[in-house]
Amino acid sequence: CTTFLKTIANDTKSYSSVKSTIHYGHIPASEQSSRYRGEVVCCLEEDVHFPALTVWRTVVFALLNKTRKRGEDTLPLVARTLLRVFELSHTVNTFVGDVYPRGVSGGERKRVCAVLLIADSSANLNVICWNNSTRGLDSSTALDFARSLRTLTDISNRATLVALYQTGESIYGLFSKVLLIHSGKCIYYRP
């Protein structure tokens, strides 16, 4: 699954070779990586944050790095909206944290990743790949995170590809299509 998602996201630098051609519509992978790099991203399993920053400062920092100087006055509104959509408004003054220091819960940290992805992406981001994004979450929190991804997909009109392992039926119901891979081969791809 990781290989599939990284290939879709055109993140194949660590592979010894790719023996097929990849196109994004009519755009070859070589052109996508040079001209449209910010439009396809892959989020791996690990959450990497500055643990000593609050959720608010983390989101605003991401927005500041991608906003033109003349648009900075809208940052608080955008940050509040994103935090509200992902049900993180109550965490604005909480540290993101990690093992040391403790911070937001695991599910909240996953949703911070989703917010950062929107905040730190180009306006043209079209495809988001999530690799095993519910790892370590209990079933209720995993369902909440999957709902957040559905919301992200619907609001931003982007394609979201998610690799999940041993997922319950309630999460499956949130997705438009399912792809099952066995031994590197597609064995099922349907609604």
Side-chain angles (χ1 to χ4, degrees), residues 29-144:
S30 58
E31 184 178 345
Q32 186 277 334
S33 65
S34 64
R35 296 184 63 198
Y36 305 105
R37 188 174 49 228
E39 293 189 26
V40 181
V41 294
C42 185
C43 295
L44 301 177
E45 291 181 53
E46 297 80 27
D47 302 322
V48 180
H49 301 287
F50 293 111
L53 291 181
T54 64
V55 171
W56 177 259
R57 290 183 65 94
T58 300
V59 172
V60 170
F61 178 74
L63 287 168
L64 276 169
N65 284 304
K66 289 293 182 172
T67 304
R68 293 184 177 158
K69 196 77 167 160
R70 65 177 179 262
E72 287 183 6
D73 56 333
T74 64
L75 290 183
L77 175 64
V78 172
R80 279 193 300 276
T81 302
L82 289 172
L83 292 171
R84 194 174 312 117
V85 166
F86 287 95
E87 299 176 11
L88 289 167
S89 297
H90 65 284
T91 67
V92 293
N93 296 316
T94 306
F95 290 113
V96 173
D98 57 12
V99 177
Y100 302 105
R102 300 275 302 148
V104 295
S105 71
E108 290 167 339
R109 194 171 296 118
K110 292 287 184 184
R111 292 197 309 269
V112 169
C113 283
V115 170
L116 291 180
L117 190 57
I118 291 175
D120 197 32
S121 68
S122 71
N124 299 322
L125 179 64
N126 291 311
V127 180
I128 305 170
C129 301
W130 294 87
N131 186 25
N132 201 13
S133 55
T134 58
R135 183 188 76 171
L137 302 179
D138 62 60
S139 59
S140 173
T141 306
L143 178 59
D144 287 344

Side-chain angles (χ1 to χ4, degrees), residues 167-178:
T167 300
E169 192 172 331
S170 56
I171 292 178
Y172 275 115
L174 296 172
F175 294 94
S176 304
K177 294 192 178 173
V178 174

